[in-house]
């Protein structure tokens, strides 16, 4: 059996930076797999590895049906055939099935062949149903796919894809995702979406992706089959896509088409290259046009790969900085159909809010009217309304309107930029406790402010802002400089633990993790038994044992649902433990 692990390292929107490990080889996600046509190499797999593509995809059906390639693959293995030491995923012939109506191989035969040639990630022979097919056909095809999935899950010896099908029927997609999530698979591609992308039906693509994500286990990477244009990366990652693949880099190059993050340009239209990759910094558009077709196609393919690589890095950096929504907003304006898709995505409020971090490394920028519909904003407004009931004093905010006065130092109200500046007033010493109590209600939920009703709040001599929160000489919490939220000390955690009923803000761990958590060691996902479903990424949480005894406090990387199902990676970055 293959060794397969997937863990989350950072996140923003519903996007995530992950670490995918299979057979001792690792790739950071989101990642794209350039498609390798084993019969015709425009760019060699070895070159792709040098460029930073640690994962590629090829077609096992083409290899299976080509005697020379088949013999070589059986003798040398897939890595020897392609001369590539990274992760190799394969398709099964499903794409050919969708395009040509039939393939000459059974599901079991193609799975066994994939295992024989040593692929890292295989794919069974699912039935892709194109968009807008009659519902009866989509449902019938899906049942065949699920039957083959069941057969595959029982016999497979390697990591396998299980594609979510269901055409353009969201309920079928969700049903397929739920059924496949119950089976023994590692990755879930979303299949039969290339026709949507080719016809710029990005709004429909959003519906298909979210319907699939709603049914899928959150601990498995999701792959958008056939997506490789850089203009779609930011939106797709914000929806929760981890993996991409495409042959577009080579196909577009053969047609003299030049990729940019904002769309595709024809070489004949270009007088200047808007790029500084090794190709564009060495040649002019005119020089490329004058080259023989084969040489030109190869150079354009290399440029297209550089742009794809660069845009994915840009998306990952945005996740790290907490600015993915800003990038989505910017990219969405490159095409009216992309903008419609962006607006459609924002309608999925509950799904987005569940995955949205509670705090970010950067300020909230009101870059457009759409940004007021981002989940971080909507959540802040809803939570502020809850705080108002206990702390009715308000101040006028240029972006958010009237907000509770005692939340005016906290994210995103204080850390925001719009057309007008928001003047942050230093708190009066007599009111400092109210700021802490209001933030506790906002951050930890109703009733949490009571844990700090007798607190003494130290103000910074330099800035006049709240800093250390104490009671009876004991440290309860720190009022964070960067976002105006609370980092709990052990005494503060103990108080919250007493006030908040189980399972509020709890992460329950097993007995194996208990001694480590008590000593202040991090909690890993495989030791988590249960969690409050209301927990959101980057929340401050209470780590408890099965008897609800407080063990530690820290910050979680996962939401409540993820905490319950992830088996790999960090779950809670513990700050302090409670020694017995």
């Amino acid at each position: 059996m293959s060794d397969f692990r997937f863990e989350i390292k950072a996140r923003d929107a519903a996007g995530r930076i992950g670490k995918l490990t299979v057979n001792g080889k690792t790739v950071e996600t989101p990642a794209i797999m350039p498609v390798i046509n084993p019969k015709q190499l425009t760019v060699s797999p070895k070159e792709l590895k040098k460029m930073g593509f640690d994962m590629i995809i090829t077609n096992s059906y083409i290899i299976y049906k080509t005697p020379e390639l088949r013999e070589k693959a059986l003798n040398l293995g897939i890595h020897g055939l392609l001369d590539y030491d990274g992760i190799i995923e394969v398709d099964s012939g499903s794409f050919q099935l969708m395009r040509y109506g039939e393939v000459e191989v059974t599901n079991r035969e193609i799975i066994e062949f994939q295992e024989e040639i040593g692929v890292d990630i295989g794919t069974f022979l699912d039935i892709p149903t194109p968009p807008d097919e009659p519902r009866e056909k989509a449902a019938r095809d899906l049942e065949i796919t699920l039957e083959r999935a069941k057969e595959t899950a029982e016999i497979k010896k390697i990591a396998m894809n299980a594609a979510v099908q269901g055409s353009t029927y969201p309920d079928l997609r969700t049903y397929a995702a739920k059924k496949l999530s119950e089976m023994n698979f590692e990755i879930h591609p979303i299949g039969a979406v290339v026709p949507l992308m080719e016809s710029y039906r990005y709004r429909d693509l959003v519906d298909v992706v979210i319907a699939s994500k709603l049914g899928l286990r959150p601990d498995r990477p999701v792959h958008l089959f056939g997506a490789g244009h850089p203009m779609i990366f930011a939106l797709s990652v914000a929806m929760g896509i981890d993996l991409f693949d495409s042959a577009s880099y080579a196909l577009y190059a053969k047609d003299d088409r030049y990729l940019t993050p904002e769309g595709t340009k024809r070489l004949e239209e270009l007088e200047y290259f808007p790029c500084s990759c090794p190709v564009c910094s060495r040649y002019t558009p005119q020089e490329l046009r004058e080259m023989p077709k084969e040489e030109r196609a190869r150079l354009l393919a290399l440029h297209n790969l550089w742009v794809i690589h660069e845009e994915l890095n840009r998306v990952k950096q945005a996740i790290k900085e907490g600015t993915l929504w800003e990038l989505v907003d910017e990219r969405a304006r490159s095409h009216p159909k992309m903008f419609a898709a962006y607006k459609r995505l924002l309608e999925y409020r509950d799904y987005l809010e569940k995955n949205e971090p509670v705090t970010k490394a950067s300020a909230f920028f009101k870059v457009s009217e759409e940004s007021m519909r981002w989940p971080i904003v909507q959540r802040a407004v809803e939570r502020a309304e809850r705080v108002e009931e206990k702390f009715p004093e308000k101040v006028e905010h240029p972006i958010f309107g009237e907000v509770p006065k005692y939340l005016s130092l906290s994210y995103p109200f204080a850390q925001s930029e719009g057309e007008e500046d928001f003047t942050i007033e230093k708190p009066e010493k007599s009111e400092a406790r109210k700021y802490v109590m209001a933030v506790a209600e906002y951050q930890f939920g109703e009733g949490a402010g009571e844990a700090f009703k007798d607190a003494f709040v130290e103000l910074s001599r330099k800035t006049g802002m709240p800093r250390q929160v104490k009671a009876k000489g004991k440290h309860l919490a720190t009022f964070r400089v960067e976002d105006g939220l609370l980092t709990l000390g052990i005494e503060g955690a103990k108080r919250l633990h007493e006030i908040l009923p189980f399972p509020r803000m709890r992460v329950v761990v097993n007995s194996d993790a208990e001694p480590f958590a008590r000593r202040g060691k991090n909690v890993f996902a495989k030791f988590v038994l249960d969690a409050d479903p209301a927990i959101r990424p980057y929340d401050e949480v209470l780590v408890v044992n099965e008897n609800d005894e407080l063990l530690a406090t820290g910050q979680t990387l996962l939401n409540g649902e993820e905490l319950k199902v992830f088996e790999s990676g960090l779950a809670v970055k513990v700050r302090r433990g409670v020694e017995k």
Side-chain angles (χ1 to χ4, degrees):
M1 290 297 289
S2 71
D3 164 39
F4 184 94
R5 290 191 311 283
F6 178 64
E7 57 189 275
I8 293 178
K9 294 293 192 180
R11 58 197 307 161
D12 193 22
R16 50 206 193 173
I17 293 176
K19 182 182 173 186
L20 185 158
T21 304
V22 59
N23 298 332
K25 292 168 279 195
T26 296
V27 65
E28 186 180 77
T29 62
I32 186 164
M33 298 166 254
V35 173
I36 299 298
N37 181 339
K39 286 182 167 182
Q40 191 178 9
L41 296 176
T42 309
V43 181
S44 75
K46 210 170 210 176
E47 285 177 285
L48 290 170
K49 190 77 164 52
K50 270 188 188 171
M51 291 175 77
F53 294 98
D54 295 320
M55 194 172 182
I56 59 173
I57 186 168
T58 191
N59 193 304
S60 62
Y61 180 67
I62 291 174
I63 297 169
Y64 180 84
K65 289 296 293 174
T66 310
E68 186 190 341
L69 290 174
R70 180 177 175 164
E71 193 180 333
K72 231 176 169 182
L74 287 167
N75 287 334
L76 301 174
I78 188 82
H79 294 84
L81 173 72
L82 297 178
D83 191 20
Y84 182 80
D85 61 1
I87 297 169
I88 298 180
E89 182 176 309
V90 293
D91 193 6
S92 59
S94 296
F95 185 74
Q96 282 75 8
L97 191 61
M98 185 170 74
R99 282 284 153 104
Y100 310 118
E102 61 177 359
V103 288
E104 297 168 9
V105 69
T106 67
N107 182 49
R108 185 179 281 264
E109 283 168 347
I110 201 69
I111 293 164
E112 288 174 351
F113 177 66
Q114 291 170 9
E115 289 172 358
E116 279 183 81
I117 62 174
V119 306
D120 294 301
I121 301 162
T123 304
F124 72 86
L125 193 62
D126 56 281
I127 310 289
T129 315
D132 312 316
E133 290 286 315
R135 185 184 173 88
E136 296 72 28
K137 182 180 187 311
R140 200 166 56 246
D141 288 352
L142 179 54
E143 285 311 312
I144 298 169
T145 289
L146 292 175
E147 282 168 24
R148 291 181 181 180
K150 197 175 174 189
E151 174 190 43
T152 305
E154 288 168 359
I155 65 169
K156 76 183 190 70
K157 297 187 181 79
I158 58 172
M160 292 291 285
N161 284 314
V164 179
Q165 300 293 353
S167 185
T168 27
Y169 301 98
D171 61 318
L172 289 183
R173 292 279 183 172
T174 304
Y175 169 75
K178 283 180 177 170
K179 287 292 180 188
L180 293 169
S181 287
E182 293 165 6
M183 300 182 203
N184 173 28
F185 288 105
E186 283 72 25
I187 297 176
H188 293 291
I190 298 173
V193 289
V194 169
L196 291 177
M197 292 183 283
E198 287 178 340
S199 50
Y200 290 83
R201 290 172 60 185
Y202 299 125
R203 193 177 188 278
D204 292 333
L205 179 69
V206 169
D207 287 339
V208 164
V209 169
I210 301 299
S212 303
K213 287 286 293 187
L214 287 172
L216 287 171
R217 291 171 56 122
D219 60 331
R220 293 180 183 172
V222 179
H223 173 178
L224 193 59
F225 255 152
H229 197 298
M231 73 186 285
I232 205 171
F233 290 161
L235 181 79
S236 300
V237 170
M239 290 193 278
I241 296 297
D242 305 292
L243 295 164
F244 301 87
D245 78 274
S246 182
S248 65
Y249 72 96
L251 298 175
Y252 282 15
K254 284 175 189 168
D255 197 25
D256 282 348
R257 288 193 284 173
Y258 176 99
L259 292 183
T260 79
E262 297 82 23
T264 312
K265 297 186 182 294
R266 293 202 164 274
L267 185 60
E268 66 202 44
E269 300 167 351
L270 290 168
E271 200 165 329
Y272 308 97
F273 282 139
C275 169
S276 301
C277 77
V279 174
C280 297
S281 53
R282 186 172 176 190
Y283 302 100
T284 65
Q286 184 61 33
E287 285 170 338
L288 243 61
R289 284 193 289 268
E290 290 169 358
M291 285 181 185
K293 182 162 180 56
E294 203 171 305
E295 189 181 349
R296 180 170 70 245
R298 178 178 150 73
L299 289 170
L300 278 174
L302 285 168
H303 156 78
N304 290 342
L305 285 163
W306 282 115
V307 169
I308 285 167
H309 195 270
E310 182 186 68
E311 182 67 2
L312 268 181
N313 280 342
R314 189 177 284 116
V315 168
K316 287 194 278 194
Q317 185 62 30
I319 291 173
K320 278 282 193 186
E321 292 173 356
T323 58
L324 183 55
W325 282 116
E326 281 95 327
L327 184 60
V328 172
D329 193 280
E330 182 186 334
R331 291 290 180 254
R333 290 161 204 281
S334 61
H335 196 283
K337 296 291 173 72
M338 190 67 77
F339 190 60
Y342 167 43
K343 290 198 288 186
R344 178 61 172 161
L345 176 58
L346 292 173
E347 291 176 28
Y348 288 98
R349 284 179 57 176
D350 291 348
Y351 167 75
L352 293 172
E353 189 278 328
K354 185 173 68 177
N355 292 289
E356 183 81 17
V358 295
T359 185
K360 306 205 181 193
S362 65
F364 163 70
F365 287 94
K366 186 187 174 188
V367 293
S368 65
E369 286 309 311
E370 285 69 35
S371 53
M372 295 305 291
R373 293 171 57 205
W374 294 348
I376 195 81
V377 173
Q378 307 241 323
R379 180 200 288 151
V381 170
E382 285 164 13
R383 289 189 179 188
E385 286 171 1
R386 184 182 71 209
V387 172
E388 270 175 37
E389 294 172 20
K390 291 187 181 175
F391 300 93
E393 300 93 330
K394 293 181 182 174
V395 292
E396 189 64 34
H397 194 288
I399 296 173
F400 295 94
E402 285 192 330
V403 299
K405 174 182 177 180
Y406 301 117
L407 293 180
S408 62
L409 304 179
S410 299
Y411 183 83
F413 307 111
Q415 299 77 14
S416 60
E417 293 283 345
E419 292 172 15
E420 298 172 49
D421 290 335
F422 175 51
T423 305
I424 299 173
E425 293 183 14
K426 293 177 183 177
E428 296 289 331
K429 204 164 190 177
S430 59
E431 291 185 306
R433 184 187 299 154
K434 286 185 179 179
Y435 282 90
V436 170
M437 290 179 71
V439 169
E441 292 280 326
Y442 176 81
Q443 189 175 349
F444 303 115
E446 195 175 343
E450 288 297 300
F452 302 94
K453 64 183 179 184
D454 62 340
F456 167 72
V457 183
E458 289 180 359
L459 300 181
S460 165
R461 288 182 189 174
K462 197 173 180 182
T463 64
M465 294 298 177
R467 283 299 166 259
Q468 299 305 321
V469 183
K470 298 178 180 178
K472 299 170 186 170
K474 292 184 175 179
H475 177 252
L476 302 185
T478 302
F479 197 91
R480 296 199 294 248
V481 178
E482 64 273 18
D483 61 6
L485 297 177
L486 299 173
T487 294
L488 292 173
I490 283 300
E491 291 305 316
K494 283 178 179 175
R495 288 181 170 213
L496 274 180
H497 183 255
E498 280 177 31
I499 285 171
L500 300 179
F502 184 88
R504 288 263 303 277
M505 302 311 293
R506 263 81 155 182
V507 176
V508 184
V509 299
N510 67 17
S511 56
D512 290 342
E514 180 169 341
F516 296 98
R518 284 190 182 280
R519 293 203 302 271
K521 304 291 184 188
N522 290 339
V523 169
F524 289 89
K526 64 181 176 181
F527 300 111
V528 174
L529 298 173
D530 201 1
D532 176 3
I535 288 171
R536 297 296 177 251
Y538 299 135
D539 254 332
E540 296 288 317
V541 294
L542 308 173
V543 179
V544 299
N545 64 16
E546 290 180 83
N547 300 321
D548 195 30
E549 293 174 320
L550 183 66
L551 308 176
T553 179
Q555 187 180 47
T556 180
L557 188 60
L558 309 175
N559 68 28
E561 184 190 347
E562 292 165 339
L563 281 161
K564 287 193 249 191
V565 297
F566 261 83
E567 290 291 327
S568 298
L570 185 66
V572 181
K573 187 177 181 183
V574 171
R575 301 189 198 277
R576 294 166 191 87
V578 182
E579 293 278 11
K580 268 191 172 176

